[in-house]
């Protein structure tokens, strides 16, 4: 594969505006940004697409709800649909106590959904394909759920790690496993979203690369031209089908992230399971 | 260049995990179809759980992919 056309090139974070807090550039004017001893808080394409996602969500929700008619317009029913989807999810999984966490979970869902979907547009940047972004989201959920659990149940929350009705010798084995599976939650939650996005976009790029490679055969002999024509059309059809699959994955992963957040929240709010 | 060869072999070996994931995803949808044929009325209710199970199983495959990518590009 030619230089500069790696399937992973699309995930490169580039600085748009260079901001350095507290540090300095040892050799300014050489065109290379350095931030020694300070915090590199540059405005990157990742920050740009996060802002675009937030702006789009705000525009979508504010403008679609402006009419507030009893019989919703198409846009209004889309906004109501997304609201009801999350409200039902919280009611089914957490119950009525979960209602006060609705704003957080709804924001989480919309942010992940819009970041995933914006990433499907060619030449854009997928924010959720970076582990640090998804890990930050998952870690906020993890810390929040743990605090809610301890605030609601005090030290009784530790009983979450002790399965009931298990003989004492087995507890020595089971409690560490339960603690480990609790601590691994933010990792699995973030890696699931990140790996799905990265794998999907890499796969699209690889199959797109097949089209270009096979078109390169068209300059060859008659047999090679036949392979090139058939192969590139097949690869293009496959890329289109994969794009459809990826849009589905984008929706599904936003759903999975949110429903797992609800399940973790239910553990913290109700405990008995 | 033994280290490079070992990297490639390791990345290839990481894809063995797909065998388990294939069994898992097949099991999920196979069970769903056989359950849905027995009781079609209940099928829409469990479809959300089917998708959740599918996504959780698929994530295991992606953990393996992650290991392969780490082997290829990080070490």
């Amino acid at each position: 594969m030619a230089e500069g056309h790696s399937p992973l090139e699309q995930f490169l974070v580039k600085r748009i505006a260079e901001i350095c807090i507290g540090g300095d550039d040892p050799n300014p004017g050489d065109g290379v940004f350095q931030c020694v001893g300070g915090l590199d808080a540059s405005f990157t394409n990742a920050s740009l697409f996060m802002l675009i996602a937030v702006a789009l969500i705000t525009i979508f929700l504010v403008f679609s709800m402006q009419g507030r008619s009893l019989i919703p317009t198409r846009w209004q029913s889309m906004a109501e649909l997304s609201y009801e989807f999350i409200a039902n999810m919280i009611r089914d999984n957490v119950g009525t106590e979960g209602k006060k966490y609705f704003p957080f979970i709804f924001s989480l869902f919309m942010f992940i959904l819009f970041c995933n979907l914006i990433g499907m547009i060619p030449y854009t940047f997928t924010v959720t394909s970076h582990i640090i972004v998804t890990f930050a989201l998952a870690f906020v959920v993890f810390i929040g759920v743990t605090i809610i659990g301890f605030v609601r149940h005090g030290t009784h929350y530790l009983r979450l790690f002790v399965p009931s009705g298990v003989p004492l010798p087995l507890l020595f084995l089971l409690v560490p496993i339960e603690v480990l599976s609790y601590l691994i939650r933010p990792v699995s939650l973030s890696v699931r979203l990140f790996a799905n996005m990265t794998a999907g976009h890499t796969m699209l790029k690889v199959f797109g690369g097949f089209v270009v490679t096979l078109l390169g055969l068209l300059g060859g002999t008659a047999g090679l031209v036949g392979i090139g024509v058939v192969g590139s059309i097949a690869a293009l059809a496959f890329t289109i089908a994969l794009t459809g699959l990826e849009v589905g994955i984008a929706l599904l992963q936003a759903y999975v992230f949110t429903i797992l957040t609800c399940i973790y929240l239910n553990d913290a709010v109700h405990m008995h399971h | 260049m033994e280290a490079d060869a070992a990297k490639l072999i390791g990345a290839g070996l990481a894809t063995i995990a797909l065998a388990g994931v294939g069994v898992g995803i097949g099991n999920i949808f196979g069970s769903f179809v056989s359950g849905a044929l027995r009781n079609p009325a209940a099928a829409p209710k469990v479809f959300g759980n089917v998708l959740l199970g599918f996504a959780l199983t698929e994530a295991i495959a992606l953990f393996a992919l992650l290991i392969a990518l780490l082997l290829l590009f990080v070490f």
Side-chain angles (χ1 to χ4, degrees):
Chain A
M1 213 166 281
E3 198 60 41
H5 289 280
S6 154
L8 296 174
E9 191 202 355
Q10 55 182 320
F11 303 121
L12 213 61
V13 176
K14 299 182 191 89
R15 291 188 186 87
I16 294 172
E18 292 167 352
I19 303 164
C20 184
I21 299 172
D24 52 1
D25 197 337
N27 20 320
D30 60 352
V32 182
F33 177 74
Q34 281 176 304
C35 190
V36 177
L39 181 69
D40 180 3
S42 300
F43 188 81
T44 60
N45 51 356
S47 339
L48 177 68
F49 278 98
M50 278 189 230
L51 281 183
I52 290 175
V54 172
L56 278 180
I57 295 166
T58 314
I59 290 169
F60 167 58
L61 289 175
V62 168
F63 280 88
S64 57
M65 290 309 290
Q66 254 188 356
R68 284 195 202 144
S69 50
L70 197 59
I71 300 161
T73 59
R74 266 175 286 186
W75 283 98
Q76 191 185 334
S77 67
M78 266 167 75
E80 285 176 0
L81 215 66
S82 52
Y83 178 95
E84 270 165 25
F85 181 62
I86 300 298
N88 284 337
M89 192 193 284
I90 294 174
R91 199 168 45 242
D92 293 347
N93 289 292
V94 193
T96 44
E97 287 104 323
K99 228 169 205 170
K100 58 181 166 188
Y101 307 113
F102 174 83
F104 172 67
I105 292 177
F106 186 66
S107 320
L108 196 66
F109 175 74
M110 292 304 265
F111 182 69
I112 295 172
L113 182 68
F114 271 69
C115 284
N116 288 352
L117 288 178
I118 288 170
M120 287 311 298
I121 302 167
Y123 294 102
T124 55
F125 180 84
T126 322
V127 182
T128 42
S129 68
H130 277 259
I131 182 81
I132 191 65
V133 176
T134 59
F135 186 75
L137 291 173
F139 206 63
V140 167
V141 169
F142 174 72
I143 295 282
V145 161
T146 310
I147 289 174
I148 289 167
F150 275 112
V151 166
R152 284 185 74 104
H153 304 286
T155 47
H156 279 286
Y157 187 56
L158 292 173
R159 278 197 65 83
L160 190 73
F161 303 126
V162 186
S164 53
V166 177
L168 188 68
L170 259 182
L171 279 183
F172 288 105
L173 188 67
L174 278 178
V175 170
I177 292 176
E178 288 281 327
V179 171
L180 195 67
S181 79
Y182 186 81
L183 292 178
I184 212 84
R185 275 176 181 183
V187 178
S188 69
L189 195 60
S190 57
V191 167
R192 182 175 302 116
L193 178 59
F194 144 76
N196 263 293
M197 288 298 121
T198 309
H201 285 263
T202 312
M203 190 162 65
L204 277 182
K205 193 75 175 270
V206 167
F207 272 90
F210 285 166
V211 180
V212 179
T213 314
L214 286 164
L215 280 179
L217 292 178
L218 291 183
T221 58
L224 282 181
V225 170
I227 295 173
V229 170
V230 174
S232 57
I233 289 175
L236 183 63
F238 216 85
T239 311
I240 294 167
L242 278 179
T243 310
L245 176 79
E246 280 308 310
V247 173
I249 294 278
L251 296 165
L252 190 64
Q253 287 305 319
Y255 169 72
V256 166
F257 197 100
T258 325
I259 202 161
L260 283 173
T261 305
C262 287
I263 290 170
Y264 296 160
L265 193 62
N266 184 42
D267 271 358
V269 171
H270 291 117
M271 274 194 69
H272 50 76
H273 52 143
Chain B
M1 287 290 111
E2 277 106 344
D4 277 350
K7 246 199 269 186
L8 295 175
I9 293 171
L13 287 177
T15 59
I16 294 175
L18 290 179
V21 177
V23 171
I25 293 180
N27 205 352
I28 290 167
F29 284 105
S31 309
F32 173 67
V33 169
S34 67
L37 284 174
R38 280 162 207 266
N39 187 0
K45 267 185 228 161
V46 295
F47 194 65
N49 292 5
V50 171
L51 286 183
L52 182 64
F54 163 73
L56 294 180
T57 316
E58 196 207 14
I60 308 291
L62 294 168
F63 292 155
L65 175 89
L66 202 69
I67 300 295
L69 288 181
L70 281 178
L71 286 172
L72 286 176
F73 296 110
V74 177
F75 290 108

